[in-house]
Amino acid sequence: MSTTTRRSTGATGTQRSVAPRKTPAPPTGGRGPGHEHELELLRQMLLIRRFEERCVELYSAAKIRGFVHLYIGEEAVAVGVGQALRGDDAVVSTYREHGHALARGVSAGAVMAEMFGKATGCSRGRGGSMHLFDAGRRFYGGNAIVAGGLPLAAGLALADRMRGTERVTCCFFGDGAYAEGEFHETANLAALWQLPLLLVCENNLYAMGTSLAREHAQTNLAMRAASYGMPAWTVDGMDVLAVEATARKAADSVRSGGGPHFLEARTYRFRAHSMYDPDRYREKDEIARWKARDPLAGLEERMRAEGGLDDLANKRLEEDVSAEIDAAVRAAEAAPYEPVADLLRFVTSPSGGAS
Amino acid sequence: MNARRSASGGSTASTTYREALRDGLREALRTDDRVFLMGEDVGRYGGCFGVSLGLLEEFGPDRIRDTPLSESAFVGAGIGAALGGLRPVVEIMTVNFSLLALDQILNNAATLLHMSGGQLSVPIVIRMTTGAGRQLAAQHSHSLEGWYAHIPGIRVLTPATMDDARHMLAAALDDPDPVVMFEHGSLYNEEGVLDGTVDSVDLDSAAVRRLGTDVSVITYGGSLPKALAAAETLAADGIGAEVVDLRSLRPLDDATVLASVARTHRAVIVDEAWRSGSISAEVAARIAERSFYELDAPVQRVCSQEVPIPYARQLEEAALPQPASIVAAVRQAVA
Ligand SMILES: Cc1ncc(C[n+]2csc(CCOP(=O)(O)OP(=O)(O)O)c2C)c(N)n1
Ligand SMILES: [Mg+2]
C-alpha cells in the first residue's frame, strides 16, 4: 500500500492505492493549479452549498416536502469526480444527489422546481428530492433504494462495452450501500466482465445512525473492493483537488479499457441524515473536527494563499451563486403544477400496449 | 376512534400508535428471553420511525440488535434464528425495501414447514412500514401487503388501532409460523386511548369498528381512519355506513365480512394498494362467491390509482383513496 501526498496543493489529502493496481499511481503534480479552474471548482461547490442551505429554509416553509438528504460537507466529491467525466459519460446516484445533479450540470432551476413538485422540475414533479433525473445529461437518478443504482450502473457500462463506445459510467453510493449484496454482486460482475464502471463510494462514516465500525467487520473498504479484482483507491474527500486528480486517473484508466475502478472518498455530512433525523448518534466534537476541514474553506484558503482569490472575487462568486439560486426559486414558485388529469402519464410508454 | 369505543368500558390510557407498538415490544422482551429485535437502526437510532426508542438502553445490544444494510441477510438470519429456537422480531424500514428480502420470506420462511414435511416451523415476526401520504415518492410509498397475503404459510397483519398496535405482537409471537406485520406510516403519530379491559387480541377475526345499516365499508390499515371519516360525513346525510377493519389479510375473516354484507346488502372496499390483483379483489371475489344473493348493488372498490406513487402533493393525493372518494363510492352503492 503506497501513500502519495500531493505536494502541489499542500493538501492533507492522501490517496492510497490498494493492489492489484493496473495503472500507475497518480502523479504527485497533477494538473497545474490554474486558478480559473480552481475558481470553477469553488463556484460549483458553493452553488451546491448555498442551494442546499436554501432548501433547508424552503423545507421549513413547507415549500419542499418528503425526505430531503443534504450533501453539505461532501461537495468536493461530486465536484471533483465531475471533472473527470465527459459529457457523454453516465452518472448513477443516490437519494443524497442534489450535489451530483448540480455538478453534472442539471440546472438549479430544474432541481428546485422538482423539489417544489412543479411541472418544470427535472422529473416533472413525480420524483422530488430523491429522484432527480436528466436523461439528456445521462444523469440516471436519484435512487432511494440503498445500493439500488449499482446493478443499473453495471448495465449501463455493459451497454457501452457491447456497443464499443469509450464512455464511462460513474456510480455514487455510500458506505452503508457497501454492505448490501447489490454492491458485492455488482463489483464481482463488473470485474468479471471488465466493465467501464467507476464506483465512487462516498464514505461519510455513517449509514443513517449506524457508524462505519458498527456496519462493517472490515472497515478498509478499498481493500475489500480490490479483492474483487479491480484497482481500488482511497482519497481525501474533503480536498476537491485530490478528488479530481484521483478521479481523473481512475476514469482515464476505465476509459482506456482498464475495467472497473473503485474510489473511496473519505468525507462527512455536516448535517443530519435527513430533515427528520434528530442526529443523536454523533458526538459534537466529531462534527466540529470535520467542519474544520470544510472543503470549501479548504480550497478558498489555498487559493487565497496562492493569490488566486481575493475578497472582491469571492464576493462576486457569492453574488453570482446567490442570484442563480434566487432565480431558481422564483421560477419554481411561478411554475405550474402538473395537472391532476395527467396523474396516469408516464406509467407506460405512449407507444406501449399495456396500461 | 378508540376513545369513542373505549369510553364505554374499563380504565383507559392515552397513547400513540408508536408508543403502543413500543409497549408491545417491551412486554414481549420482558416476558420471553427468546425474543429479540433486529433491523437497521433499531438500536442506537431508536428505529427509523422511533418505534424502538429507548429499548437498547433497557435490553442491551444483544437483544436490540442493529444490523448493517443487508435486508436479505438479516431477514434470513431471523428465519435461521427462529429455527434455532429464538423468537426474533425483525424490523424492515419500509415495505419497498422488503423486496430485497422477499426471497427469504417466500422461499424460506413461508415454505420450510411444508417442504420439510412438517419438521421445521419458523416462529418469526417481521414488522415493516407500509403506505403513502407523506410525499415520499415511488420508492417509499407502496402498499404491498396484498402481495404478501398471496403467500400461503405466512400470516399478514395490519394493526390500525391503538389496541391492535399494543397487543398484536404478543399474539403474533405465539404463532408458531411466520407473521408479517404492516404498520402504515401515517398512523405512527395517531393518538388514542387504550381499552383498559383488553389485554390480548384475536388475530383470526376482523373487527366491526362502526355499526351501520346501509352499507359495509371494508378496509384495513391506514385506510381505516379515512373510512371512519367518510362514515361520519355519510351519517350527516342519513347514510349508515358499517366499517369493517380486516385486521388480518391472511387468513381473511370471511365470516365477519359476509355477516356485515348480509346486514347491509351493499359493500364498498377501500384498499390503498393498486386495484388490479389486490386484496380488495380477493375480498370482492369472496363476497361474489358466497354472498351474491345478499347484494342489492354491485360491489364498489376505492383503491390507489395504478401509478407509481408520485411526489407532488396534488398528484399523490389524487392517487390515493380519500374520504371524499370513499363517500362518492358509497353514494353510488346506495343510490
Ligand atoms: C434497501 C434500503 N434499506 C434501507 C433504506 C433506508 N435508508 C436510507 S438511507 C440509509 C443509509 C444509507 O447510508 P449510506 O449508504 O452510507 O449513504 P449516506 O446516507 O450516508 O449518504 C438507509 C438505511 C433504504 N432507503 N433502502
Ligand atoms: Mg454513509
Side-chain angles (χ1 to χ4, degrees):
Chain A
M1 206 177 287
S2 71
T3 301
T4 317
T5 306
R6 288 176 48 88
R7 268 177 292 116
S8 68
T9 59
T12 47
T14 60
Q15 56 190 22
R16 286 176 301 141
S17 65
V18 182
R21 197 170 66 211
K22 292 183 179 152
T23 52
T28 49
R31 275 166 68 96
H35 290 137
E36 262 158 46
H37 179 65
E38 296 188 0
L39 203 61
E40 172 58 16
L41 298 182
L42 190 59
R43 193 195 66 78
Q44 288 190 23
M45 292 201 292
L46 194 67
L47 177 66
I48 297 170
R49 175 74 53 96
R50 299 286 179 257
F51 181 90
E52 291 205 320
E53 287 167 351
R54 193 72 63 88
C55 289
V56 175
E57 289 168 25
L58 292 163
Y59 198 89
S60 307
K63 297 282 184 186
I64 299 175
R65 305 295 344 173
F67 284 162
V68 171
H69 305 82
L70 299 177
Y71 196 59
I72 292 177
E74 306 187 28
E75 295 92 341
V77 184
V79 172
V81 170
Q83 304 310 304
L85 302 176
R86 294 184 188 164
D88 63 346
D89 288 341
V91 174
V92 179
S93 180
T94 67
Y95 46 85
R96 195 183 299 289
E97 89 279 35
H98 308 154
H100 303 142
L102 293 172
R104 188 64 190 157
V106 185
S107 76
V111 177
M112 190 58 85
E114 186 56 34
M115 309 237 263
F116 274 63
K118 295 294 182 83
T120 51
C122 59
S123 310
R124 301 193 72 131
R126 303 314 199 276
S129 164
M130 299 193 288
H131 305 294
L132 306 174
F133 289 87
D134 187 338
R137 288 185 174 73
R138 304 200 73 222
F139 186 76
Y140 288 96
N143 199 314
I145 303 300
V146 170
L150 282 151
L152 199 115
L156 285 161
L158 176 64
D160 284 336
R161 174 86 206 268
M162 292 178 69
R163 295 169 70 188
T165 72
E166 286 208 328
R167 303 193 298 197
V168 170
T169 298
C170 171
C171 185
F172 292 99
F173 58 99
D175 48 291
Y178 194 111
E180 290 278 8
E182 291 198 302
F183 166 73
H184 296 275
E185 295 175 29
T186 300
N188 180 51
L189 199 72
L192 187 68
W193 293 346
Q194 288 294 289
L195 301 179
L197 181 62
L198 178 58
L199 296 166
V200 180
C201 180
E202 302 184 305
N203 179 3
N204 60 11
L205 301 177
Y206 289 86
M208 226 167 110
T210 302
S211 65
L212 188 71
R214 291 191 302 118
E215 62 181 329
H216 291 286
Q218 168 55 265
T219 57
N220 187 335
L221 303 184
M223 183 187 78
R224 289 163 67 197
S227 77
Y228 285 105
M230 67 178 94
W233 301 330
T234 294
V235 67
D236 178 2
M238 307 308 269
D239 179 346
V240 67
L241 294 172
V243 173
E244 176 184 357
T246 311
R248 275 187 193 282
K249 205 71 208 167
D252 290 352
S253 176
V254 171
R255 203 180 303 285
S256 58
H261 282 50
F262 175 92
L263 197 60
E264 174 199 15
R266 294 256 172 94
T267 184
Y268 200 79
R269 57 173 161 74
F270 291 173
R271 305 292 181 107
H273 170 74
S274 73
M275 307 302 283
Y276 281 74
D277 172 17
D279 204 351
R280 283 182 284 245
Y281 47 85
R282 302 193 300 181
E283 300 294 337
K284 288 230 160 41
D285 40 308
E286 178 185 283
I287 300 174
R289 266 200 316 282
W290 279 93
K291 280 189 173 168
R293 305 206 43 236
D294 188 322
L296 277 76
L299 180 60
E300 200 187 309
E301 232 167 78
R302 192 180 305 168
M303 288 172 69
R304 282 178 187 273
E306 292 169 1
L309 187 75
D310 57 17
D311 286 347
L312 188 66
N314 199 39
K315 184 160 170 280
R316 204 176 305 130
L317 202 61
E318 285 279 8
E319 284 169 358
D320 286 355
V321 160
S322 176
E324 188 173 344
I325 295 166
D326 286 345
V329 175
R330 264 198 313 276
E333 290 273 13
Y337 283 106
E338 194 79 336
V340 166
D342 284 350
L343 174 64
L344 300 184
R345 267 185 95 183
F346 315 123
V347 178
T348 51
S349 304
S351 56
S355 65
Chain B
M1 75 197 107
N2 282 291
R4 198 184 311 121
R5 202 159 57 88
S6 53
S8 50
S11 62
T12 57
S14 90
T15 186
T16 64
Y17 183 85
R18 174 185 289 108
E19 286 165 17
L21 287 167
R22 187 186 304 145
D23 287 344
L25 277 165
R26 185 179 281 120
E27 180 189 66
L29 287 153
R30 279 185 185 158
T31 53
D32 185 345
D33 58 15
R34 297 171 305 172
V35 172
F36 70 104
L37 174 69
M38 73 171 154
E40 291 158 9
D41 285 310
V42 296
R44 200 159 300 192
Y45 194 90
C48 61
F49 293 101
V51 171
S52 51
L53 196 64
L55 297 183
L56 173 69
E57 289 70 17
E58 187 174 345
F59 298 100
D62 227 35
R63 298 183 69 203
I64 307 296
R65 190 170 277 272
D66 280 322
T67 67
L69 273 133
S70 49
E71 285 78 7
S72 184
F74 70 74
V75 170
I79 295 166
L83 291 174
L86 297 178
R87 290 287 180 278
V89 178
V90 179
E91 176 178 304
I92 301 176
M93 286 183 169
T94 88
V95 67
N96 282 75
F97 316 156
S98 78
L99 302 185
L100 285 118
L102 191 52
D103 164 58
Q104 289 294 330
I105 298 171
L106 171 56
N107 287 324
N108 279 337
T111 48
L112 277 169
L113 180 65
H114 185 80
M115 286 193 304
S116 68
Q119 297 178 73
L120 300 177
S121 69
V122 183
I124 188 177
V125 176
I126 302 170
R127 303 172 34 238
M128 66 187 88
T129 306
T130 188
R134 294 162 295 148
Q135 286 194 257
L136 301 183
Q139 292 181 334
H140 278 74
S141 301
H142 291 147
S143 290
L144 305 180
E145 51 278 357
W147 280 17
Y148 283 95
H150 183 64
I151 303 172
I154 59 176
R155 184 188 283 279
V156 176
L157 301 176
T158 55
T161 65
M162 299 302 144
D163 289 317
D164 280 353
R166 173 65 183 81
H167 298 295
M168 267 190 176
L169 180 67
L173 283 164
D174 279 343
D175 191 319
D177 297 320
V179 178
V180 188
M181 277 178 65
F182 291 91
E183 301 158 8
H184 195 286
S186 68
L187 295 176
Y188 288 117
N189 290 329
E190 287 276 301
E191 293 175 18
V193 178
L194 282 173
D195 184 339
T197 64
V198 171
D199 63 1
S200 69
V201 294
D202 158 27
L203 300 183
D204 290 328
S205 47
V208 176
R209 300 297 185 194
R210 179 186 175 116
L211 289 168
T213 51
D214 300 322
V215 59
S216 299
V217 177
I218 301 149
T219 189
Y220 68 91
S223 297
L224 178 62
K226 292 178 179 178
L228 289 167
E232 203 66 45
T233 304
L234 290 160
D237 288 356
I239 299 170
E242 179 151 304
V243 178
V244 179
D245 173 7
L246 291 171
R247 300 177 65 248
S248 165
L249 304 189
R250 185 179 194 99
L252 265 180
D253 174 13
D254 296 347
T256 299
V257 172
L258 301 182
S260 177
V261 173
R263 285 192 294 277
T264 64
H265 308 291
R266 290 176 164 85
V268 173
I269 307 164
V270 183
D271 179 4
E272 198 182 298
W274 296 299
R275 173 184 305 250
S276 303
S278 64
I279 197 73
S280 71
E282 181 63 28
V283 173
R286 293 192 191 195
I287 293 170
E289 284 164 355
R290 312 238 328 254
S291 298
F292 184 76
Y293 297 106
E294 295 287 356
L295 289 174
D296 286 346
V299 173
Q300 300 277 335
R301 283 194 281 160
V302 184
C303 300
S304 281
Q305 297 293 314
E306 308 233 341
V307 58
I309 303 298
Y311 162 73
R313 187 169 53 84
Q314 81 284 1
L315 296 180
E316 185 186 40
E317 277 174 4
L320 304 175
Q322 302 293 357
S325 51
I326 300 169
V327 166
V330 167
R331 287 194 203 287
Q332 216 171 325
V334 300

